[in-house]
Amino acid sequence: MYQYKNLQGLPFHKISACLNCAFSDYAFPIHLDEKALAELLSATGVDRSLSFGAFLDGTLIGFMFNSCGLYQGHRAAFDVATGVIPVHRGKQVFTRLFAFAKRALRQQQIERYYLEVLQENERAIALYKRQGFSITREFAVLSASTPKGYSPSRQVQFSSLAAFDFQQAAGLNRNLPSYEHSDRVLWLHPDRYEVAFIKGQTISAWCVFSKENGQIFQFGWNGIKDLREVVLALLLRYPHVAAKNIESNQQQILEMLESLSFKVITRQYEMVHTLDYA
């Protein structure tokens, strides 16, 4: 008989063994050792006391990693990763695990539960809809390599995230980031991020990116041409750059990225379940 409880105190090697088995049959299998798993949970702000597992005879066979914080004005939980070992699928493990999680999250006054899912994963989308999730936004994930024939722009400057004055850029357009790219998550580890920006008399464009690989997380812009220069500067600094979770209705941003040879590599839905306190 399956048992459900939180993951607080469970050794990382037991969690990683379950995760690797659960994702072994995916189109792009995931394998994380203990160190990589710990890094993922830390970077995304996963709270193991509010993350949950399904156990059989003391062995973890399913999991749900949750990060919790303020998102779009609501106390929210975000599903960083969920998986069930293949031989235990089709046995209501996820349904019961999610029901257990909802009870615990309600006790913490969580109002909304978010997740992201690949648009081609129709089976998962149908499962989430049966659990009361609905699609809120559509995202594109894009990637590009360093282009040939471009020169670096001397206009673009770089700053640490902590040193950048966002107040000077308060009036600019800004994309609404996904939960995992929200201010709350980025400021958990500000030393991992930098800001590339253009500043004349005022700041006209900026983006927050990963120091490690140049992945873009947030944009701010007044003129799209200046933002293009900022992104180009990243392409000239890193051999490959990804821009994850650009909303499909941000046509101006998507066209700008495509002009720099960014290609859509996958598409995702953001889905939400509103927790009922009635």
Side-chain angles (χ1 to χ4, degrees), residues 181 207-209 214-219 231 234 241-244 262:
H181 300 160
C207 70
V208 177
F209 65 95
Q215 182 175 344
I216 298 169
F217 298 108
Q218 294 186 9
F219 294 109
V231 176
L234 293 182
V241 173
K244 188 179 179 185
F262 276 81

Side-chain angles (χ1 to χ4, degrees), residues 163-258:
F164 185 70
D165 188 354
F166 284 95
Q167 282 298 113
Q168 290 191 33
L172 273 62
N173 300 307
R174 186 174 179 181
N175 69 310
L176 178 63
S178 59
Y179 179 95
E180 61 181 330
H181 300 160
S182 63
D183 291 347
R184 184 259 170 189
V185 173
L186 297 188
W187 283 96
L188 292 174
H189 303 283
D191 56 306
R192 298 180 181 180
Y193 311 105
E194 288 187 0
V195 183
F197 64 98
I198 290 179
K199 182 178 180 182
Q201 292 184 341
T202 60
I203 294 171
S204 60
W206 58 267
C207 70
V208 177
F209 65 95
S210 165
K211 289 168 59 175
E212 179 184 5
N213 56 28
Q215 182 175 344
I216 298 169
F217 298 108
Q218 294 186 9
F219 294 109
W221 71 97
N222 185 22
I224 199 69
K225 290 183 179 179
D226 283 352
L227 183 58
R228 186 179 188 276
E229 286 295 315
V230 170
V231 176
L232 175 58
L234 293 182
L235 282 168
L236 296 171
R237 197 182 208 198
Y238 296 90
H240 306 283
V241 173
K244 188 179 179 185
N245 291 353
I246 309 300
E247 279 195 79
S248 59
N249 62 3
Q250 291 275 349
Q251 196 60 39
Q252 193 178 30
I253 298 296
L254 291 170
E255 289 176 359
M256 178 272 292
L257 293 173
E258 289 169 3

Side-chain angles (χ1 to χ4, degrees), residues 38-50:
E39 173 71 14
L40 170 66
L41 301 189
S42 174
T44 52
V46 166
D47 184 343
R48 288 207 281 161
S49 71
L50 290 174

